[in-house]
């Protein structure tokens, strides 16, 4: 790009923003003839200079109507002061572009902020809904949890009854077998493996076993190494059967009665 028009050897004085070409004062007539729609896109360098001199960035605000009015007034004042230019209200495309860029930045920002506000409103709305649903869920579950807790307690309590009664039966069986042959003390102390397996004694495990057992006997058989292991005193026995038998070997009937009496006291 040279400073002078190659045809007329004159300095360029115009710019056509549409073609983005520099044009001399002789060529401008031809250019406007060839491209009538470009005439308002062509600016003379003096107009551009004037426009830049009178440019006030302070006046470029987002309130377009008042901005325009202010601008005209300012232009007039400046013009009166300078008295250099005839075109009063001329604004270069540079000024217009600055205005439109600022306007676009302002409106983009406010649109973005409005979207953020809506986004936040939605978020808060659904947070409240979530809170509400959680509370409703807990309300509905609270009764169920309480009921389940009660049932668990009942099962534990009944299992304890059952253990005690099974122990009574055990005592009875041992008393009977003691009468016929001597006490076999062979079965003992294989509980070390089982003792720590607390989960085997949990109500959940017990309920699973109850579900899969068709009869009380099969339930007892299924748990005879854990719940109903007669040597596992830690979990099972309210009394040490062998010890009781030793102490009361003479009077088996009163022993049995005594145990039953204790049971009634404990579980009534
Ligand atoms: Zn042009
Ligand atoms: Zn020319």
């Amino acid at each position: 790009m040279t400073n002078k028009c190659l045809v007329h050897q004159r300095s360029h004085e115009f710019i056509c923003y549409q073609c983005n070409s520099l044009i001399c004062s002789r060529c401008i007539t031809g250019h406007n003839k060839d491209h009538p729609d470009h005439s308002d896109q062509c600016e003379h360098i003096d107009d551009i200079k004037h426009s830049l001199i009178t440019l006030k960035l302070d006046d470029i605000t987002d309130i377009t109507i008042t901005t325009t009015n202010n601008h005209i007034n300012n232009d007039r004042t400046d013009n009166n002061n300078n008295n250099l230019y005839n075109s009063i209200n001329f604004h270069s495309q540079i000024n217009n572009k600055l205005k439109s860029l600022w306007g676009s930045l302002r409106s983009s920002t406010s649109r973005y902020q409005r979207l953020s506000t809506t986004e936040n409103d939605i978020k808060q709305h659904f947070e409240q809904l979530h809170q509400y649903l959680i509370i409703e869920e807990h309300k509905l579950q609270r009764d169920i949890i309480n009921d389940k807790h009660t049932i668990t307690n009942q099962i534990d309590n009944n299992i304890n009854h059952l253990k005690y009664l099974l122990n009574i039966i055990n005592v009875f069986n041992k008393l009977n077998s003691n009468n016929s042959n001597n006490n076999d003390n062979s079965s003992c102390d294989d509980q070390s493996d089982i003792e720590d397996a607390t989960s085997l004694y949990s109500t959940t495990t017990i309920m699973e076993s109850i579900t899969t057992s068709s009869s009380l006997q099969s339930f007892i058989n299924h748990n005879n190494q854990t719940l109903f292991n007669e040597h596992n005193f830690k979990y099972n026995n309210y009394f040490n059967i062998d010890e009781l038998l030793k102490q009361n070997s003479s009077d088996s009937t009163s022993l049995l009665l005594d145990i039953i009496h204790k049971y009634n006291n404990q579980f009534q």
Side-chain angles (χ1 to χ4, degrees):
M1 195 177 288
T2 68
N3 281 332
K4 287 181 184 267
C5 166
L6 293 176
V7 181
H8 302 102
Q9 295 303 312
R10 289 173 176 235
S11 293
H12 293 129
E13 288 178 44
F14 291 87
I15 183 168
C16 172
Y17 290 108
Q18 190 69 42
C19 323
N20 197 27
S21 59
L22 298 175
I23 306 161
C24 89
S25 55
R26 293 284 308 278
C27 287
I28 189 70
T29 322
H31 181 81
N32 286 346
K33 226 177 251 174
D34 291 343
H35 309 284
D37 54 320
H38 290 195
S39 59
D40 60 346
Q41 295 291 316
C42 293
E43 287 184 358
H44 191 271
I45 183 61
D46 287 348
D47 290 333
I48 295 172
K49 279 182 189 167
H50 171 246
S51 182
L52 289 180
I53 286 169
T54 58
L55 171 66
K56 285 200 165 113
L57 296 180
D58 272 347
D59 293 339
I60 300 179
T61 66
D62 54 328
I63 310 157
T64 43
I65 295 168
T66 45
T67 304
T68 314
N69 288 339
N70 284 343
H71 228 217
I72 291 168
N73 291 338
N74 287 335
D75 277 354
R76 281 197 182 123
T77 329
D78 287 344
N79 251 356
N80 290 339
N81 290 341
N82 295 332
N83 239 356
L84 281 172
Y85 301 98
N86 293 325
S87 55
I88 294 173
N89 290 330
F90 178 79
H91 292 124
S92 163
Q93 299 241 359
I94 295 172
N95 301 36
N96 293 337
K97 193 68 196 169
L98 282 170
K99 247 194 214 176
S100 86
L101 280 176
W102 179 241
S104 167
L105 285 171
R106 292 284 296 188
S107 77
S108 299
T109 303
S110 78
R111 183 163 155 68
Y112 187 92
Q113 284 166 344
R114 279 201 305 277
L115 286 173
S116 292
T117 307
T118 311
E119 190 184 26
N120 242 340
D121 289 349
I122 291 171
K123 190 169 174 252
Q124 278 184 359
H125 175 72
F126 278 94
E127 264 173 12
Q128 281 172 355
L129 268 182
H130 287 166
Q131 262 333 96
Y132 171 79
L133 286 176
I134 287 170
I135 289 168
E136 284 302 298
E137 184 194 354
H138 284 175
K139 262 190 214 162
L140 289 174
Q141 286 194 336
R142 194 170 45 216
D143 287 346
I144 292 174
I145 288 168
N146 286 342
D147 283 356
K148 285 176 80 176
H149 190 70
T150 309
I151 289 174
T152 306
N153 282 343
Q154 277 171 358
I155 287 177
D156 287 345
N157 205 26
N158 284 338
I159 289 289
N160 284 338
H161 283 219
L162 188 58
K163 282 180 196 165
Y164 203 103
L165 287 176
L166 288 174
N167 280 333
I168 292 175
I169 293 168
N170 252 338
V171 170
F172 173 71
N173 287 340
K174 291 203 176 187
L175 288 173
N176 269 353
S177 63
N178 265 357
N179 289 342
S180 51
N181 57 345
N182 229 341
N183 195 6
D184 70 316
N185 263 332
S186 59
S187 59
C188 216
D189 288 339
D190 59 344
Q191 73 261 41
S192 50
D193 300 349
I194 314 154
E195 254 180 11
D196 294 330
T198 317
S199 75
L200 291 173
Y201 300 90
S202 78
T203 314
T204 315
T205 314
I206 292 170
M207 281 192 284
E208 277 169 18
S209 180
I210 289 170
T211 309
T212 54
S213 301
S214 57
S215 67
L216 177 58
Q217 185 60 60
S218 70
F219 176 60
I220 293 166
N221 292 346
H222 189 234
N223 296 283
N224 64 0
Q225 291 303 306
T226 52
L227 275 183
F228 306 120
N229 181 344
E230 63 175 287
H231 300 289
N232 194 356
F233 299 117
K234 181 179 171 189
Y235 290 101
N236 303 338
N237 291 10
Y238 294 91
F239 40 81
N240 184 334
I241 295 170
D242 293 333
E243 206 54 43
L244 279 175
L245 288 173
K246 260 182 218 162
Q247 286 167 10
N248 299 277
S249 53
S250 52
D251 191 357
S252 61
T253 313
S254 66
L255 170 63
L256 200 57
L257 271 179
D258 191 41
I259 293 171
I260 293 168
H261 180 242
K262 273 181 186 154
Y263 164 82
N264 283 338
N265 274 343
Q266 194 158 350
F267 292 108
Q268 247 171 6

